[in-house]
Amino acid sequence: MLLKTSLSALRWSAPEHHVTDEKIYLNRRAFLQAGIGASLVGVSSVVLANPYRADGAQASVAPAWFQQKADAIQWRAVATDEALTPFNDAARYNNFYEFGTDKGDPARLAQSLQPEPWSVLIDGAVAKPGKVGLEDLLAPHALQERIYRLRCVEAWSMVIPWLGIPLADILKRVEPTAKAKYVRFETLVDPEQMPAQRSAFGLIKWPYVEGLRIDEAMHPLTILAVGMYGRVLPKQNGAPLRLVVPWKYGFKSIKSIVRISLLEKPPRTTWQSLAPDEYGFYANVNPAVSHPRWSQASERRLPSSLFNPNRMDTQPFNGYADEVASLYGGMDLAVHY
Ligand SMILES: Nc1nc2c(c(=O)[nH]1)N[C@H]1C(S)=C(S)[C@@H](COP(=O)(O)O)O[C@H]1N2
Ligand SMILES: [Mo]
């Protein structure tokens, strides 16, 4: 379960084609920052080749909605001076239990996920509920690059350049009513596409569910991501649409979302239901509050290895305290973990 970390899975051999993705991505950014707009078309067609595969081995075309948005991406909308985790680690060391509990299972097995066509049901306490296709959902919005730290509750972390839009922009369009105090998110259930949902002995009751308070959901750091490293989101990272809440433990950042519901009461979330003593609703990154079975004071930044463990102190709210600590004024964070 979330508790498992296997050292052997940490270090991947990196054949040349894995490294290339990263280089292309960085080159493209260099072009963009230099303002060489004319080069863009040629470069982006390279980056967008083979959108969903982690290994970059086969050419295929990014979905039309992504290509249409590629030229208008606002790069480095939020950035950090920390080194990016290589694409190869971010796309091959995953938690996505719908495909299995080993870190390598999602990259290996998520190719059966079908992110097109995709639609999202938005319902509950909103003036404009409805089921909306992914293209229509994204149509009015430009993609932004957000380079965020991702801190898993298992005490490893990465730095990932996401492409997405503020969740607030979507929520405003559906006009939450006065009763909208919480937001509930739900992942696809389809045992045909998600092999671990076929098992009768699984621990998790599908769908995977997550939730936020409405002010957390409306916070400008909270995004819905559709891409990373300048390309469309790999399936194993939650294609085609996943949440990213950078100041919370990774399990809040729910993948492959099919439903967003505005609610008056806090939703029952997956990990909280499974082990309420270990995983709270808030799940704000907090080095001062240990998990019952391990400390949260430090983290292993990927890539890491036995000889270069790359261990560093964990920061309150994962380093985003200036932006978000005020959301929790007056709350005892040891109680509301
Ligand atoms: N639907 C779903 N979403 C999920 C998970 C999952 O198992 N199922 N795992 C979570 C956990 S524990 C983490 S750390 C992040 C990992 O995201 P990444 O694989 O893109 O790094 O996804 C989160 N979102
Ligand atoms: Mo996690």
Side-chain angles (χ1 to χ4, degrees), residues 51-55 85-96 98-99 103 105-111 113 115 150 156 158-163 187 194 224-229 231-244 250 253-257:
Y52 294 115
R53 292 281 305 255
D55 58 12
T85 299
F87 176 84
N88 188 44
D89 293 272
R92 293 190 167 247
Y93 186 87
N94 300 101
N95 278 331
F96 199 168
E98 286 83 342
F99 296 98
K103 292 290 183 285
D105 286 343
R108 208 161 42 81
L109 298 170
Q111 298 315 314
L113 177 66
L150 175 80
W156 52 263
M158 305 194 195
V159 178
I160 299 180
W162 303 105
L163 295 175
T187 295
M194 298 176 147
L224 286 173
V226 298
M228 64 184 212
Y229 298 82
R231 57 160 69 197
V232 78
L233 208 56
K235 295 181 180 184
Q236 59 270 32
N237 294 86
L241 183 75
R242 59 94 53 88
L243 185 69
V244 181
S253 291
I254 180 173
K255 297 176 167 180
S256 304
I257 296 168

Short mmCIF file of all heavy atoms in Angstrom, two decimals, residues 51-55 85-96 98-99 103 105-111 113 115 150 156 158-163 187 194 224-229 231-244 250 253-257:
data_model
loop_
_atom_site.label_atom_id
_atom_site.label_comp_id
_atom_site.label_asym_id
_atom_site.label_seq_id
_atom_site.Cartn_x
_atom_site.Cartn_y
_atom_site.Cartn_z
N PRO A 51 2.59 11.27 -27.56
CA PRO A 51 2.21 11.96 -26.35
C PRO A 51 2.11 11.10 -25.09
O PRO A 51 2.58 11.51 -24.04
CB PRO A 51 0.85 12.55 -26.70
CG PRO A 51 0.34 11.74 -27.84
CD PRO A 51 1.56 11.35 -28.61
N TYR A 52 1.51 9.94 -25.19
CA TYR A 52 1.20 9.25 -23.94
C TYR A 52 2.26 8.26 -23.50
O TYR A 52 2.23 7.77 -22.40
CB TYR A 52 -0.15 8.52 -24.05
CG TYR A 52 -1.31 9.47 -24.19
CD1 TYR A 52 -2.07 9.49 -25.33
CD2 TYR A 52 -1.63 10.35 -23.15
CE1 TYR A 52 -3.14 10.35 -25.45
CE2 TYR A 52 -2.69 11.21 -23.27
CZ TYR A 52 -3.44 11.21 -24.43
OH TYR A 52 -4.49 12.06 -24.54
N ARG A 53 3.18 7.92 -24.38
CA ARG A 53 4.16 6.91 -24.03
C ARG A 53 5.30 7.53 -23.23
O ARG A 53 5.77 8.61 -23.55
CB ARG A 53 4.73 6.27 -25.29
CG ARG A 53 3.70 5.42 -26.04
CD ARG A 53 3.55 4.09 -25.36
NE ARG A 53 4.83 3.43 -25.25
CZ ARG A 53 5.20 2.42 -26.00
NH1 ARG A 53 4.40 1.93 -26.90
NH2 ARG A 53 6.37 1.87 -25.84
N ALA A 54 5.77 6.80 -22.24
CA ALA A 54 6.86 7.32 -21.42
C ALA A 54 8.20 7.18 -22.14
O ALA A 54 9.12 7.92 -21.90
CB ALA A 54 6.92 6.58 -20.10
N ASP A 55 8.31 6.23 -23.03
CA ASP A 55 9.63 5.92 -23.57
C ASP A 55 9.96 6.67 -24.86
O ASP A 55 11.07 6.58 -25.37
CB ASP A 55 9.79 4.41 -23.78
CG ASP A 55 8.73 3.86 -24.73
OD1 ASP A 55 8.04 4.67 -25.37
OD2 ASP A 55 8.60 2.63 -24.80
N THR A 85 12.98 17.05 -11.72
CA THR A 85 13.12 15.60 -11.76
C THR A 85 13.09 15.19 -13.22
O THR A 85 12.23 15.65 -13.97
CB THR A 85 11.95 14.95 -10.99
OG1 THR A 85 12.02 15.39 -9.64
CG2 THR A 85 12.02 13.44 -11.05
N PRO A 86 14.00 14.34 -13.68
CA PRO A 86 13.95 13.92 -15.08
C PRO A 86 12.59 13.30 -15.42
O PRO A 86 11.99 12.60 -14.60
CB PRO A 86 15.06 12.88 -15.18
CG PRO A 86 16.01 13.22 -14.07
CD PRO A 86 15.15 13.75 -12.96
N PHE A 87 12.15 13.56 -16.64
CA PHE A 87 10.89 12.99 -17.12
C PHE A 87 10.82 11.48 -16.87
O PHE A 87 9.79 10.94 -16.47
CB PHE A 87 10.75 13.28 -18.62
CG PHE A 87 9.54 12.65 -19.25
CD1 PHE A 87 8.31 13.29 -19.18
CD2 PHE A 87 9.62 11.43 -19.90
CE1 PHE A 87 7.18 12.71 -19.75
CE2 PHE A 87 8.49 10.85 -20.47
CZ PHE A 87 7.27 11.49 -20.39
N ASN A 88 11.95 10.84 -17.08
CA ASN A 88 12.00 9.39 -16.95
C ASN A 88 11.63 8.91 -15.55
O ASN A 88 11.03 7.85 -15.39
CB ASN A 88 13.41 8.92 -17.32
CG ASN A 88 13.48 7.41 -17.40
OD1 ASN A 88 12.59 6.78 -17.95
ND2 ASN A 88 14.53 6.84 -16.82
N ASP A 89 11.98 9.66 -14.54
CA ASP A 89 11.59 9.28 -13.18
C ASP A 89 10.12 9.61 -12.94
O ASP A 89 9.37 8.82 -12.38
CB ASP A 89 12.45 10.02 -12.15
CG ASP A 89 13.90 9.57 -12.20
OD1 ASP A 89 14.23 8.60 -11.51
OD2 ASP A 89 14.69 10.18 -12.95
N ALA A 90 9.72 10.81 -13.37
CA ALA A 90 8.34 11.25 -13.11
C ALA A 90 7.31 10.37 -13.82
O ALA A 90 6.18 10.25 -13.36
CB ALA A 90 8.17 12.71 -13.53
N ALA A 91 7.72 9.75 -14.93
CA ALA A 91 6.78 8.94 -15.70
C ALA A 91 6.96 7.44 -15.47
O ALA A 91 6.29 6.63 -16.11
CB ALA A 91 6.91 9.26 -17.20
N ARG A 92 7.86 7.06 -14.57
CA ARG A 92 8.10 5.62 -14.37
C ARG A 92 8.09 5.21 -12.91
O ARG A 92 8.24 4.04 -12.59
CB ARG A 92 9.42 5.21 -15.01
CG ARG A 92 9.29 5.36 -16.49
CD ARG A 92 10.44 4.76 -17.26
NE ARG A 92 10.01 4.70 -18.64
CZ ARG A 92 9.80 3.58 -19.31
NH1 ARG A 92 10.00 2.42 -18.74
NH2 ARG A 92 9.41 3.62 -20.56
N TYR A 93 7.94 6.16 -12.04
CA TYR A 93 7.87 5.86 -10.60
C TYR A 93 6.58 6.50 -10.13
O TYR A 93 6.52 7.69 -9.83
CB TYR A 93 9.10 6.48 -9.91
CG TYR A 93 9.25 6.13 -8.45
CD1 TYR A 93 9.91 4.97 -8.06
CD2 TYR A 93 8.74 6.97 -7.47
CE1 TYR A 93 10.05 4.67 -6.72
CE2 TYR A 93 8.90 6.68 -6.12
CZ TYR A 93 9.56 5.52 -5.75
OH TYR A 93 9.71 5.22 -4.42
N ASN A 94 5.50 5.72 -10.15
CA ASN A 94 4.17 6.31 -9.97
C ASN A 94 3.34 5.58 -8.92
O ASN A 94 3.52 4.39 -8.70
CB ASN A 94 3.38 6.25 -11.29
CG ASN A 94 4.08 6.99 -12.42
OD1 ASN A 94 4.72 6.40 -13.28
ND2 ASN A 94 3.97 8.31 -12.39
N ASN A 95 2.43 6.31 -8.33
CA ASN A 95 1.34 5.71 -7.57
C ASN A 95 0.06 5.93 -8.35
O ASN A 95 -0.35 7.08 -8.59
CB ASN A 95 1.20 6.38 -6.19
CG ASN A 95 2.19 5.82 -5.18
OD1 ASN A 95 2.59 4.66 -5.27
ND2 ASN A 95 2.57 6.63 -4.21
N PHE A 96 -0.56 4.85 -8.77
CA PHE A 96 -1.84 4.89 -9.49
C PHE A 96 -2.42 3.49 -9.30
O PHE A 96 -2.21 2.59 -10.11
CB PHE A 96 -1.60 5.24 -10.97
CG PHE A 96 -2.81 5.76 -11.71
CD1 PHE A 96 -2.65 6.34 -12.97
CD2 PHE A 96 -4.09 5.69 -11.18
CE1 PHE A 96 -3.73 6.84 -13.69
CE2 PHE A 96 -5.18 6.19 -11.88
CZ PHE A 96 -5.01 6.75 -13.15
N GLU A 98 -5.12 2.02 -9.43
CA GLU A 98 -6.01 1.39 -10.41
C GLU A 98 -5.23 0.45 -11.33
O GLU A 98 -5.81 -0.40 -12.00
CB GLU A 98 -6.71 2.47 -11.24
CG GLU A 98 -7.83 3.22 -10.51
CD GLU A 98 -7.34 4.37 -9.64
OE1 GLU A 98 -6.14 4.43 -9.31
OE2 GLU A 98 -8.17 5.23 -9.29
N PHE A 99 -3.89 0.63 -11.37
CA PHE A 99 -3.06 -0.21 -12.24
C PHE A 99 -2.12 -1.10 -11.44
O PHE A 99 -1.26 -1.77 -12.02
CB PHE A 99 -2.27 0.67 -13.22
CG PHE A 99 -3.18 1.42 -14.15
CD1 PHE A 99 -3.52 2.73 -13.88
CD2 PHE A 99 -3.72 0.80 -15.26
CE1 PHE A 99 -4.40 3.43 -14.72
CE2 PHE A 99 -4.60 1.48 -16.10
CZ PHE A 99 -4.94 2.80 -15.83
N LYS A 103 5.51 0.58 -7.93
CA LYS A 103 5.81 1.87 -8.56
C LYS A 103 5.89 1.76 -10.08
O LYS A 103 5.62 2.71 -10.79
CB LYS A 103 7.11 2.45 -8.00
CG LYS A 103 7.00 2.88 -6.53
CD LYS A 103 6.13 4.10 -6.39
CE LYS A 103 6.04 4.59 -4.94
NZ LYS A 103 5.16 3.73 -4.10
N ASP A 105 4.13 -0.44 -11.95
CA ASP A 105 2.89 -0.95 -12.56
C ASP A 105 2.19 0.06 -13.46
O ASP A 105 1.79 -0.29 -14.58
CB ASP A 105 1.91 -1.42 -11.47
CG ASP A 105 2.33 -2.73 -10.83
OD1 ASP A 105 3.17 -3.45 -11.41
OD2 ASP A 105 1.81 -3.05 -9.73
N PRO A 106 2.02 1.32 -13.01
CA PRO A 106 1.28 2.25 -13.87
C PRO A 106 1.94 2.46 -15.24
O PRO A 106 1.26 2.39 -16.27
CB PRO A 106 1.24 3.54 -13.04
CG PRO A 106 1.33 3.07 -11.62
CD PRO A 106 2.27 1.90 -11.67
N ALA A 107 3.26 2.66 -15.27
CA ALA A 107 3.91 2.89 -16.57
C ALA A 107 3.78 1.66 -17.47
O ALA A 107 3.64 1.76 -18.68
CB ALA A 107 5.38 3.23 -16.37
N ARG A 108 3.78 0.49 -16.85
CA ARG A 108 3.70 -0.76 -17.61
C ARG A 108 2.28 -1.05 -18.08
O ARG A 108 2.07 -1.53 -19.18
CB ARG A 108 4.19 -1.90 -16.70
CG ARG A 108 4.80 -3.09 -17.39
CD ARG A 108 5.66 -3.90 -16.40
NE ARG A 108 5.05 -4.04 -15.09
CZ ARG A 108 4.11 -4.94 -14.81
NH1 ARG A 108 3.67 -5.79 -15.71
NH2 ARG A 108 3.60 -5.02 -13.58
N LEU A 109 1.31 -0.75 -17.22
CA LEU A 109 -0.05 -1.25 -17.47
C LEU A 109 -1.04 -0.17 -17.90
O LEU A 109 -2.14 -0.49 -18.36
CB LEU A 109 -0.59 -1.95 -16.21
CG LEU A 109 0.22 -3.18 -15.78
CD1 LEU A 109 -0.23 -3.66 -14.41
CD2 LEU A 109 0.09 -4.29 -16.82
N ALA A 110 -0.67 1.09 -17.76
CA ALA A 110 -1.67 2.15 -18.02
C ALA A 110 -1.92 2.39 -19.50
O ALA A 110 -2.77 3.20 -19.84
CB ALA A 110 -1.26 3.46 -17.33
N GLN A 111 -1.22 1.65 -20.37
CA GLN A 111 -1.49 1.88 -21.80
C GLN A 111 -2.91 1.48 -22.18
O GLN A 111 -3.43 1.93 -23.21
CB GLN A 111 -0.44 1.17 -22.67
CG GLN A 111 1.00 1.69 -22.44
CD GLN A 111 1.09 3.21 -22.38
OE1 GLN A 111 0.53 3.91 -23.21
NE2 GLN A 111 1.78 3.73 -21.37
N LEU A 113 -5.49 2.47 -20.63
CA LEU A 113 -6.37 3.61 -20.35
C LEU A 113 -6.65 4.37 -21.65
O LEU A 113 -5.74 4.60 -22.45
CB LEU A 113 -5.68 4.53 -19.33
CG LEU A 113 -6.40 5.84 -18.95
CD1 LEU A 113 -7.70 5.55 -18.21
CD2 LEU A 113 -5.50 6.71 -18.07
N PRO A 115 -7.77 7.85 -22.87
CA PRO A 115 -8.09 9.22 -22.46
C PRO A 115 -8.89 10.01 -23.49
O PRO A 115 -9.21 11.16 -23.24
CB PRO A 115 -6.71 9.86 -22.24
CG PRO A 115 -5.71 8.88 -22.71
CD PRO A 115 -6.39 7.69 -23.30
N LEU A 150 6.35 17.93 -5.73
CA LEU A 150 5.32 16.94 -5.39
C LEU A 150 5.87 16.09 -4.27
O LEU A 150 6.89 15.41 -4.45
CB LEU A 150 4.99 16.06 -6.61
CG LEU A 150 4.01 14.92 -6.33
CD1 LEU A 150 2.58 15.42 -6.30
CD2 LEU A 150 4.14 13.81 -7.37
N TRP A 156 8.97 10.52 -0.32
CA TRP A 156 9.80 10.84 -1.48
C TRP A 156 9.18 12.05 -2.18
O TRP A 156 8.02 12.40 -1.95
CB TRP A 156 9.95 9.65 -2.44
CG TRP A 156 8.68 9.01 -2.89
CD1 TRP A 156 8.09 7.89 -2.35
CD2 TRP A 156 7.80 9.46 -3.95
NE1 TRP A 156 6.91 7.61 -3.02
CE2 TRP A 156 6.71 8.55 -4.00
CE3 TRP A 156 7.83 10.51 -4.85
CZ2 TRP A 156 5.65 8.67 -4.92
CZ3 TRP A 156 6.78 10.64 -5.76
CH2 TRP A 156 5.71 9.73 -5.79
N MET A 158 9.43 14.91 -5.85
CA MET A 158 9.92 15.22 -7.19
C MET A 158 9.67 16.71 -7.44
O MET A 158 8.95 17.36 -6.69
CB MET A 158 9.15 14.43 -8.26
CG MET A 158 9.14 12.93 -8.08
SD MET A 158 8.56 12.13 -9.60
CE MET A 158 8.20 10.49 -9.00
N VAL A 159 10.26 17.22 -8.53
CA VAL A 159 9.94 18.57 -9.02
C VAL A 159 9.45 18.40 -10.45
O VAL A 159 10.21 17.94 -11.31
CB VAL A 159 11.16 19.50 -8.97
CG1 VAL A 159 10.81 20.89 -9.53
CG2 VAL A 159 11.68 19.63 -7.54
N ILE A 160 8.19 18.74 -10.68
CA ILE A 160 7.56 18.41 -11.96
C ILE A 160 7.01 19.67 -12.63
O ILE A 160 6.30 20.45 -11.98
CB ILE A 160 6.41 17.39 -11.75
CG1 ILE A 160 6.97 16.10 -11.15
CG2 ILE A 160 5.67 17.13 -13.06
CD1 ILE A 160 5.93 15.03 -10.90
N PRO A 161 7.35 19.90 -13.91
CA PRO A 161 6.75 21.00 -14.65
C PRO A 161 5.41 20.59 -15.27
O PRO A 161 5.38 19.91 -16.29
CB PRO A 161 7.79 21.30 -15.75
CG PRO A 161 8.48 20.00 -15.99
CD PRO A 161 8.37 19.17 -14.72
N TRP A 162 4.33 20.96 -14.60
CA TRP A 162 2.98 20.61 -15.08
C TRP A 162 2.52 21.62 -16.13
O TRP A 162 2.96 22.77 -16.12
CB TRP A 162 1.98 20.63 -13.92
CG TRP A 162 2.32 19.73 -12.78
CD1 TRP A 162 2.81 20.11 -11.57
CD2 TRP A 162 2.18 18.31 -12.73
NE1 TRP A 162 2.98 19.01 -10.76
CE2 TRP A 162 2.60 17.89 -11.45
CE3 TRP A 162 1.72 17.34 -13.64
CZ2 TRP A 162 2.60 16.55 -11.06
CZ3 TRP A 162 1.71 16.02 -13.24
CH2 TRP A 162 2.15 15.62 -11.97
N LEU A 163 1.58 21.20 -16.96
CA LEU A 163 0.83 22.14 -17.79
C LEU A 163 -0.63 22.01 -17.37
O LEU A 163 -1.17 20.90 -17.33
CB LEU A 163 0.95 21.79 -19.28
CG LEU A 163 2.34 21.92 -19.88
CD1 LEU A 163 2.32 21.42 -21.33
CD2 LEU A 163 2.79 23.37 -19.85
N THR A 187 -12.26 9.55 -9.71
CA THR A 187 -11.50 8.96 -10.84
C THR A 187 -12.40 7.98 -11.59
O THR A 187 -13.34 7.42 -11.03
CB THR A 187 -10.26 8.22 -10.28
OG1 THR A 187 -9.39 9.18 -9.70
CG2 THR A 187 -9.51 7.46 -11.37
N MET A 194 -8.72 -0.48 -16.34
CA MET A 194 -7.93 -0.38 -15.11
C MET A 194 -7.87 -1.73 -14.43
O MET A 194 -8.77 -2.11 -13.66
CB MET A 194 -8.54 0.69 -14.20
CG MET A 194 -8.53 2.07 -14.86
SD MET A 194 -9.34 3.34 -13.86
CE MET A 194 -8.34 4.78 -14.29
N LEU A 224 -5.75 22.03 -12.38
CA LEU A 224 -6.06 20.80 -13.11
C LEU A 224 -5.00 20.68 -14.18
O LEU A 224 -4.85 21.59 -15.01
CB LEU A 224 -7.45 20.89 -13.74
CG LEU A 224 -8.63 20.76 -12.78
CD1 LEU A 224 -9.94 21.04 -13.51
CD2 LEU A 224 -8.67 19.37 -12.14
N ALA A 225 -4.25 19.61 -14.17
CA ALA A 225 -3.14 19.44 -15.13
C ALA A 225 -3.58 18.53 -16.27
O ALA A 225 -4.29 17.54 -16.07
CB ALA A 225 -1.92 18.86 -14.43
N VAL A 226 -3.14 18.89 -17.47
CA VAL A 226 -3.38 18.07 -18.67
C VAL A 226 -2.06 17.71 -19.35
O VAL A 226 -2.06 17.02 -20.37
CB VAL A 226 -4.30 18.78 -19.68
CG1 VAL A 226 -5.67 19.03 -19.06
CG2 VAL A 226 -3.68 20.09 -20.17
N GLY A 227 -0.95 18.20 -18.81
CA GLY A 227 0.33 17.91 -19.42
C GLY A 227 1.46 18.01 -18.40
O GLY A 227 1.25 18.45 -17.26
N MET A 228 2.63 17.60 -18.82
CA MET A 228 3.85 17.81 -18.05
C MET A 228 5.06 17.76 -18.98
O MET A 228 5.00 17.15 -20.04
CB MET A 228 3.98 16.81 -16.89
CG MET A 228 4.13 15.35 -17.28
SD MET A 228 4.14 14.30 -15.78
CE MET A 228 5.24 12.98 -16.32
N TYR A 229 6.11 18.44 -18.63
CA TYR A 229 7.33 18.50 -19.45
C TYR A 229 7.00 18.90 -20.89
O TYR A 229 7.53 18.33 -21.85
CB TYR A 229 8.07 17.16 -19.44
CG TYR A 229 8.54 16.75 -18.06
CD1 TYR A 229 7.66 16.12 -17.17
CD2 TYR A 229 9.84 17.00 -17.63
CE1 TYR A 229 8.07 15.76 -15.89
CE2 TYR A 229 10.27 16.63 -16.37
CZ TYR A 229 9.38 16.00 -15.51
OH TYR A 229 9.77 15.63 -14.25
N ARG A 231 4.50 18.40 -22.75
CA ARG A 231 3.75 17.45 -23.56
C ARG A 231 2.47 17.05 -22.83
O ARG A 231 2.29 17.38 -21.68
CB ARG A 231 4.60 16.22 -23.84
CG ARG A 231 5.08 15.59 -22.54
CD ARG A 231 5.50 14.17 -22.72
NE ARG A 231 6.71 14.06 -23.50
CZ ARG A 231 7.11 12.93 -24.06
NH1 ARG A 231 6.40 11.84 -23.94
NH2 ARG A 231 8.22 12.89 -24.75
N VAL A 232 1.64 16.33 -23.56
CA VAL A 232 0.40 15.90 -22.94
C VAL A 232 0.70 14.89 -21.82
O VAL A 232 1.73 14.21 -21.82
CB VAL A 232 -0.55 15.33 -24.03
CG1 VAL A 232 -0.15 13.92 -24.42
CG2 VAL A 232 -1.99 15.41 -23.61
N LEU A 233 -0.16 14.84 -20.83
CA LEU A 233 0.05 14.00 -19.65
C LEU A 233 0.16 12.52 -20.04
O LEU A 233 -0.71 11.99 -20.73
CB LEU A 233 -1.15 14.19 -18.72
CG LEU A 233 -1.02 14.02 -17.22
CD1 LEU A 233 0.06 14.93 -16.65
CD2 LEU A 233 -2.37 14.33 -16.57
N PRO A 234 1.23 11.83 -19.59
CA PRO A 234 1.27 10.38 -19.80
C PRO A 234 0.11 9.71 -19.04
O PRO A 234 -0.34 10.21 -18.01
CB PRO A 234 2.61 9.97 -19.19
CG PRO A 234 3.44 11.22 -19.16
CD PRO A 234 2.45 12.33 -18.95
N LYS A 235 -0.32 8.59 -19.57
CA LYS A 235 -1.46 7.89 -18.94
C LYS A 235 -1.17 7.58 -17.47
O LYS A 235 -2.03 7.74 -16.61
CB LYS A 235 -1.76 6.61 -19.71
CG LYS A 235 -2.25 6.88 -21.13
CD LYS A 235 -2.56 5.59 -21.86
CE LYS A 235 -3.04 5.91 -23.28
NZ LYS A 235 -3.45 4.68 -24.01
N GLN A 236 0.04 7.13 -17.20
CA GLN A 236 0.37 6.72 -15.83
C GLN A 236 0.40 7.90 -14.86
O GLN A 236 0.34 7.72 -13.65
CB GLN A 236 1.71 5.97 -15.79
CG GLN A 236 2.90 6.75 -16.29
CD GLN A 236 3.14 6.57 -17.78
OE1 GLN A 236 2.21 6.39 -18.56
NE2 GLN A 236 4.40 6.64 -18.18
N ASN A 237 0.46 9.11 -15.39
CA ASN A 237 0.42 10.30 -14.52
C ASN A 237 -0.99 10.87 -14.39
O ASN A 237 -1.17 11.94 -13.82
CB ASN A 237 1.40 11.36 -15.01
CG ASN A 237 2.85 10.90 -14.89
OD1 ASN A 237 3.37 10.24 -15.80
ND2 ASN A 237 3.49 11.19 -13.76
N GLY A 238 -1.97 10.18 -14.96
CA GLY A 238 -3.36 10.58 -14.72
C GLY A 238 -4.05 11.23 -15.89
O GLY A 238 -4.94 12.06 -15.70
N ALA A 239 -3.65 10.85 -17.12
CA ALA A 239 -4.29 11.40 -18.31
C ALA A 239 -5.80 11.13 -18.26
O ALA A 239 -6.23 10.13 -17.69
CB ALA A 239 -3.69 10.75 -19.58
N PRO A 240 -6.60 12.02 -18.87
CA PRO A 240 -6.13 13.25 -19.50
C PRO A 240 -6.20 14.46 -18.58
O PRO A 240 -5.78 15.54 -18.96
CB PRO A 240 -7.14 13.42 -20.65
CG PRO A 240 -8.42 12.89 -20.06
CD PRO A 240 -8.02 11.75 -19.15
N LEU A 241 -6.72 14.26 -17.35
CA LEU A 241 -6.99 15.40 -16.48
C LEU A 241 -6.79 14.99 -15.03
O LEU A 241 -7.46 14.05 -14.56
CB LEU A 241 -8.46 15.84 -16.69
CG LEU A 241 -8.95 17.06 -15.94
CD1 LEU A 241 -8.38 18.32 -16.60
CD2 LEU A 241 -10.48 17.13 -15.95
N ARG A 242 -5.88 15.63 -14.32
CA ARG A 242 -5.68 15.29 -12.91
C ARG A 242 -5.50 16.57 -12.10
O ARG A 242 -5.15 17.63 -12.62
CB ARG A 242 -4.51 14.33 -12.73
CG ARG A 242 -3.13 14.79 -13.22
CD ARG A 242 -2.23 15.43 -12.18
NE ARG A 242 -1.98 14.72 -10.96
CZ ARG A 242 -1.01 13.84 -10.77
NH1 ARG A 242 -0.20 13.51 -11.75
NH2 ARG A 242 -0.82 13.30 -9.59
N LEU A 243 -5.76 16.43 -10.80
CA LEU A 243 -5.60 17.55 -9.90
C LEU A 243 -4.13 17.64 -9.46
O LEU A 243 -3.46 16.61 -9.34
CB LEU A 243 -6.50 17.30 -8.68
CG LEU A 243 -6.63 18.37 -7.61
CD1 LEU A 243 -7.39 19.58 -8.15
CD2 LEU A 243 -7.35 17.81 -6.39
N VAL A 244 -3.65 18.87 -9.21
CA VAL A 244 -2.35 19.04 -8.56
C VAL A 244 -2.50 20.11 -7.48
O VAL A 244 -2.84 21.26 -7.76
CB VAL A 244 -1.24 19.45 -9.55
CG1 VAL A 244 0.10 19.59 -8.82
CG2 VAL A 244 -1.10 18.42 -10.68
N GLY A 250 0.85 13.91 -1.91
CA GLY A 250 0.52 13.55 -3.29
C GLY A 250 -0.82 12.84 -3.47
O GLY A 250 -1.44 12.96 -4.52
N SER A 253 -3.74 14.61 -4.97
CA SER A 253 -3.70 15.01 -6.39
C SER A 253 -4.25 13.89 -7.27
O SER A 253 -3.52 13.18 -7.96
CB SER A 253 -2.27 15.41 -6.78
OG SER A 253 -1.91 16.61 -6.12
N ILE A 254 -5.54 13.77 -7.25
CA ILE A 254 -6.27 12.65 -7.87
C ILE A 254 -6.15 12.67 -9.40
O ILE A 254 -6.19 13.73 -10.02
CB ILE A 254 -7.74 12.67 -7.40
CG1 ILE A 254 -8.56 11.54 -7.99
CG2 ILE A 254 -8.39 14.03 -7.69
CD1 ILE A 254 -9.96 11.44 -7.39
N LYS A 255 -6.04 11.47 -9.95
CA LYS A 255 -5.78 11.31 -11.39
C LYS A 255 -7.05 10.95 -12.18
O LYS A 255 -8.02 10.46 -11.62
CB LYS A 255 -4.75 10.19 -11.59
CG LYS A 255 -3.40 10.51 -10.96
CD LYS A 255 -2.44 9.34 -11.09
CE LYS A 255 -1.02 9.79 -10.76
NZ LYS A 255 -0.08 8.67 -10.87
N SER A 256 -6.96 11.15 -13.48
CA SER A 256 -7.99 10.69 -14.44
C SER A 256 -9.41 10.97 -13.94
O SER A 256 -10.22 10.06 -13.74
CB SER A 256 -7.80 9.20 -14.75
OG SER A 256 -6.48 8.97 -15.22
N ILE A 257 -9.67 12.26 -13.74
CA ILE A 257 -10.92 12.71 -13.11
C ILE A 257 -12.09 12.66 -14.08
O ILE A 257 -12.00 13.14 -15.21
CB ILE A 257 -10.74 14.16 -12.59
CG1 ILE A 257 -9.68 14.20 -11.49
CG2 ILE A 257 -12.07 14.73 -12.10
CD1 ILE A 257 -9.23 15.61 -11.13
#
